[in-house]
Amino acid sequence: MRAFRQTTGQPPHQYVLQCRLDLAERLIVSSGKPFAEIAALCGFPCHSHLSSVMKRCRGASPGNLRRQTGKPSRHI
């Protein structure tokens, strides 16, 4: 764990969380998939967990991010 932290600058859990958030952001911006589906694809237990983690770590909710990009959401 020490070597991982020295290499990446963050602990393993934080690194994995950032990777999951990066993927979620790409999907939110590039697809019209529902947030629940994006959360599941990125390993979050539900869309509300994705939303709270994204707000805490990135300062914006998935809905705000999608509105900024102008990507319509698909409701299935």
Side-chain angles (χ1 to χ4, degrees), residues 46-68:
C46 61
H47 75 282
S48 62
H49 188 248
L50 167 63
S51 183
S52 65
V53 170
M54 188 173 280
K55 278 190 249 182
R56 186 180 74 234
C57 294
R58 304 286 168 95
S61 70
N64 289 341
L65 183 61
R66 185 166 279 167
R67 278 189 292 278
Q68 290 172 357

